[in-house]
Amino acid sequence: MTMNKQWLLASRPTGWPTEANFRLVETAIPTADDGEIVVRNHFMSLDPYMRGRMDDGKSYAQPQPLDQVMQGGSVGEVIESRSPKFAVGDKVRGGLGWQQYGKAKAELFVKITETRVPLSAYLGVLGMPGVTAWMGLSQIIEPKAGETLVVSAASGAVGGVVGQLAKAKGCHVVGIAGGAMKCKLVVEEFGFDTCVDYKAADFREKFKNATPKGVDGYFENVGGEVLDTVFGRMNAFGRVAVCGLIAGYNEAAAPMTQFRAILINRLKVQGFIVSERMDLWPQALQELAGLVVSGNLKYRETVAQGIEAAPRAFLGLLKGENVGKQVVKLI
Amino acid sequence: MTMNKQWLLASRPTGWPTEANFRLVETAIPTADDGEIVVRNHFMSLDPYMRGRMDDGKSYAQPQPLDQVMQGGSVGEVIESRSPKFAVGDKVRGGLGWQQYGKAKAELFVKITETRVPLSAYLGVLGMPGVTAWMGLSQIIEPKAGETLVVSAASGAVGGVVGQLAKAKGCHVVGIAGGAMKCKLVVEEFGFDTCVDYKAADFREKFKNATPKGVDGYFENVGGEVLDTVFGRMNAFGRVAVCGLIAGYNEAAAPMTQFRAILINRLKVQGFIVSERMDLWPQALQELAGLVVSGNLKYRETVAQGIEAAPRAFLGLLKGENVGKQVVKLI
């Protein structure tokens, strides 16, 4: 009999998580109740936000419950349906988390009908990270042609899309990424104008040279010293979309010394959560899908193999070991 | 022969300014060229922003030039006119700075025709500070009835207006001010719901108790520890208007430890400068004047006597010794 392997949250981390914070269990494959579908996951998503939910503190989402399946996005195939919305064999995107099989109410899934794009892309460029990039850029930064746009974690699932969308708007696009390999990818494959390695000893100097006209828009995924450096280069009326602060998720990040820039340069600094504007997803996904299908929006994936690999891949993601979208391939 | 006493910037301060940074000189009273008027100042304005202009660094305005008359707002009476816009005897608001007499192009002045309000009010509640309060509140915070609105430097020229305008919108209004006397004024005269003394040893605890439902809007004049404390109480989708950061003008302010709140609570934090939206001044002044004339907008002034008193009064302002708008009475 085939079983369903699931990763549960076993304990809450203090500082950096370890594999001991997760527990692998096997349960029976679920069966559908009325209005539900059962899905076999082909890919599951690993994302930085999951680190925040492992904590117990106040945040924008409920904490991940202990001893429950780790929550997260997933794509897969319907294997049982008790809903008229889906038939067995349909491909769907949903949020079944870190497990091989799962079930939920049919209305919590979206059918994937576009076959020119690999299924895993619906967890990245055509999923939450892609919409996040689109939303922060179009709703907060509102870039104009000729402006300088900076994005941190530029080789990541969100950052790569931000830069390419800003290039299409006519911006001068500067990425920030960790290491020469990632910087090369960002420029050569994603088409950024330049990319600065934040691990370099002379990062501040290099960043200054890369932004001779200052910075008009900043898409922030990192925080800490990177944030402080970019704030010191912001132009008057600059806009900062705060999407993530991964530098502070596992340890205290460098303090913010440039808050005064908000006043001096009349900046707008705004945090946002992509799931709170579901009304914008259809427009975002339509635009993103058009660009992907036409070859005008590139993306990369880092694929871990098999459900067992999930915790290790997640820890690597938090340390920046991935390039592009981190997923786990389950079949 | 009557002379014109003027205060010049003699040297740039490092840290706290002293009286030695200013130099009093006497010059002839100017005469008007074509299109100009000569004004005898009745009151001159002292404002925290002047501290920033004494520095040489990058800021939103040009630095105050050395050996030139200290710049600033003023109200007075036309004593010579070579412009059809003004007649001798007209009362005007302009920017003649720290001196008894001055001249400039007529178009740089606004005629004051409302006689039910004292002239000095046009430097405060019906001048730059009042419009600043109106603008930060209406353009950035956009308070809604039932929300909790916090303003720091609550007994100051800007803060007092912010709180009263927010009360009129139906907000629960919490002031922050230095000392029991100022807090009493803020509640009893300006009608705030409550006011917390930031000099109290248990400020954080008291502020928490004063904001049981958290904070939805914050009008920031201070920075440093006060800013950090309020950020720790912000609700989801809170708005912060950054108007001033006086805690950091003369010495390093406490570091910002709560930047993460911007992400977690999806805050909008925005700096602004009142002089960059001159298009909004007529609407603001019309509303403010209506409230002042009807007795529904209270204000206080601290009046220094005589041009000689200006530097000392300015240093007192930076230390919070004033209540309400600080002006210097020149006649």
Side-chain angles (χ1 to χ4, degrees):
Chain A
M1 176 187 172
T2 306
M3 297 290 282
N4 180 25
K5 289 186 182 171
Q6 307 173 306
W7 281 104
L8 314 184
L9 180 64
S11 58
R12 301 198 185 281
T14 44
W16 287 92
T18 69
E19 294 188 48
N21 294 124
F22 306 93
R23 184 170 68 248
L24 189 66
V25 298
E26 290 194 40
T27 57
I29 296 169
T31 53
D33 290 322
D34 230 26
E36 293 183 335
I37 60 173
V38 179
V39 175
R40 181 178 188 182
N41 286 339
H42 289 206
F43 293 92
M44 50 171 264
S45 184
L46 296 176
D47 300 280
Y49 78 81
M50 294 170 174
R51 173 63 188 85
R53 297 206 183 170
M54 293 173 76
D55 288 336
D56 213 0
K58 181 186 174 192
S59 189
Y60 47 80
Q62 288 297 312
Q64 160 76 42
L66 282 172
D67 300 315
Q68 299 289 316
V69 176
M70 284 291 294
Q71 298 162 351
S74 58
V75 288
E77 185 174 339
V78 178
I79 60 169
E80 184 193 354
S81 175
R82 292 186 59 184
S83 158
K85 277 188 70 184
F86 295 102
V88 169
D90 281 350
K91 301 291 196 300
V92 292
R93 175 161 57 83
L96 292 173
W98 296 25
Q99 58 183 341
Q100 293 173 304
Y101 298 85
K103 71 160 186 175
K105 291 278 179 200
E107 58 264 30
L108 296 174
F109 297 86
V110 175
K111 195 181 297 192
I112 297 171
T113 53
E114 169 63 60
T115 55
R116 290 169 290 180
V117 179
L119 202 55
S120 58
Y122 290 87
L123 297 178
V125 64
L126 297 183
M128 183 273 288
V131 178
T132 298
W134 183 94
M135 202 175 287
L137 204 64
S138 67
Q139 304 299 303
I140 295 175
I141 296 178
E142 303 179 82
K144 291 182 263 303
E147 289 190 327
T148 296
L149 184 288
V150 173
V151 54
S152 56
S155 75
V158 175
V161 177
V162 170
Q164 292 178 77
L165 293 178
K167 274 305 288 180
K169 296 271 184 195
C171 292
H172 181 75
V173 175
V174 179
I176 299 174
M181 186 273 283
K182 288 184 179 178
C183 282
K184 190 171 147 74
L185 171 81
V186 163
V187 172
E188 294 185 0
E189 188 160 323
F190 296 159
F192 286 39
D193 292 291
T194 183
C195 186
V196 187
D197 178 4
Y198 73 83
K199 293 180 176 174
D202 55 349
F203 165 58
R204 278 181 187 256
E205 187 64 24
K206 283 208 167 112
F207 183 73
K208 188 178 171 186
N209 294 338
T211 54
K213 294 183 184 167
V215 178
D216 302 296
Y218 179 40
F219 195 107
E220 171 60 308
N221 292 306
V222 170
E225 195 198 334
V226 169
L227 168 75
D228 225 41
T229 301
V230 179
F231 261 65
R233 299 287 301 153
M234 293 299 296
N235 290 330
F237 307 109
R239 291 85 62 199
V240 179
V242 184
C243 170
L245 295 168
I246 197 169
Y249 288 178
N250 299 298
E251 54 196 5
M256 169 75 173
T257 66
Q258 299 284 336
F259 189 87
R260 198 179 170 207
I262 296 176
L263 174 61
I264 293 176
N265 292 320
R266 294 83 87 203
L267 308 181
K268 180 179 79 169
V269 183
Q270 191 163 0
F272 73 105
I273 305 296
V274 69
S275 56
E276 290 175 337
R277 292 299 307 273
M278 294 310 293
D279 57 308
L280 295 172
W281 280 57
Q283 184 192 349
L285 286 172
Q286 188 178 11
E287 289 184 30
L288 293 165
L291 291 166
V292 169
V293 168
S294 67
N296 291 310
L297 181 55
K298 308 285 205 306
Y299 62 96
R300 280 284 188 105
E301 292 175 343
T302 299
V303 183
Q305 296 291 335
I307 183 88
E308 288 80 4
R312 199 165 49 248
F314 179 63
L315 303 182
L317 168 74
L318 294 179
K319 290 175 179 153
E321 291 171 5
N322 61 306
V323 173
K325 173 63 195 166
Q326 177 71 58
V327 297
V328 181
K329 191 171 190 308
L330 297 173
I331 61 167
Chain B
M1 174 188 175
T2 306
M3 298 290 281
N4 179 26
K5 289 186 182 172
Q6 306 173 307
W7 280 106
L8 314 184
L9 181 63
S11 59
R12 300 199 186 281
T14 44
W16 287 92
T18 69
E19 294 189 48
N21 294 124
F22 306 94
R23 184 169 67 247
L24 189 66
V25 299
E26 290 194 40
T27 58
I29 295 169
T31 53
D33 291 322
D34 231 27
E36 292 182 336
I37 60 173
V38 179
V39 175
R40 181 178 188 184
N41 286 338
H42 288 206
F43 293 92
M44 50 171 264
S45 183
L46 296 176
D47 301 279
Y49 78 81
M50 294 170 173
R51 174 62 189 86
R53 296 206 184 170
M54 293 173 76
D55 288 337
D56 214 0
K58 181 188 174 192
S59 189
Y60 48 81
Q62 289 296 311
Q64 160 77 41
L66 281 172
D67 300 316
Q68 299 288 315
V69 176
M70 283 292 293
Q71 298 162 352
S74 57
V75 287
E77 184 174 340
V78 177
I79 60 169
E80 183 193 355
S81 175
R82 291 187 59 186
S83 158
K85 277 189 68 183
F86 295 101
V88 170
D90 282 349
K91 301 291 196 300
V92 292
R93 175 160 57 82
L96 292 173
W98 296 24
Q99 58 183 340
Q100 293 172 304
Y101 298 85
K103 70 160 186 175
K105 291 280 180 201
E107 57 264 32
L108 296 175
F109 296 86
V110 175
K111 194 181 298 192
I112 297 171
T113 53
E114 169 62 60
T115 55
R116 290 170 289 180
V117 180
L119 202 55
S120 59
Y122 290 87
L123 297 178
V125 63
L126 297 182
M128 182 274 288
V131 178
T132 298
W134 182 93
M135 201 175 287
L137 203 64
S138 67
Q139 304 299 303
I140 295 175
I141 296 178
E142 303 179 82
K144 290 181 264 303
E147 289 191 326
T148 296
L149 184 288
V150 173
V151 54
S152 56
S155 75
V158 175
V161 178
V162 170
Q164 293 177 78
L165 293 178
K167 273 305 289 180
K169 297 270 185 195
C171 292
H172 180 77
V173 175
V174 178
I176 299 174
M181 185 273 283
K182 288 184 179 177
C183 282
K184 190 172 147 73
L185 171 81
V186 163
V187 172
E188 294 184 0
E189 187 159 324
F190 296 160
F192 286 40
D193 292 289
T194 183
C195 186
V196 187
D197 177 4
Y198 73 82
K199 293 179 175 174
D202 54 350
F203 166 58
R204 277 181 188 255
E205 188 63 24
K206 282 207 167 113
F207 183 73
K208 188 178 171 188
N209 294 339
T211 54
K213 293 182 184 169
V215 178
D216 303 296
Y218 179 41
F219 195 108
E220 172 59 310
N221 291 308
V222 169
E225 195 198 335
V226 170
L227 168 75
D228 226 40
T229 301
V230 179
F231 262 65
R233 298 286 303 155
M234 293 298 295
N235 289 331
F237 306 110
R239 292 84 63 197
V240 179
V242 184
C243 171
L245 294 169
I246 198 168
Y249 289 179
N250 299 299
E251 53 196 5
M256 168 75 172
T257 66
Q258 299 285 336
F259 190 87
R260 198 180 171 206
I262 296 176
L263 174 61
I264 292 176
N265 292 321
R266 294 83 90 205
L267 307 181
K268 182 179 77 170
V269 183
Q270 192 162 358
F272 73 104
I273 304 295
V274 69
S275 56
E276 289 175 338
R277 292 298 309 274
M278 294 310 292
D279 57 309
L280 294 172
W281 279 57
Q283 184 192 349
L285 286 172
Q286 189 179 5
E287 289 185 28
L288 293 166
L291 290 167
V292 169
V293 168
S294 67
N296 290 310
L297 182 54
K298 308 283 205 305
Y299 62 97
R300 279 285 187 105
E301 293 175 341
T302 298
V303 183
Q305 296 291 336
I307 183 89
E308 288 80 3
R312 200 166 47 249
F314 178 63
L315 303 182
L317 168 74
L318 294 179
K319 289 175 180 155
E321 291 171 5
N322 62 307
V323 173
K325 173 63 194 167
Q326 177 71 57
V327 297
V328 181
K329 191 171 191 308
L330 297 173
I331 61 168

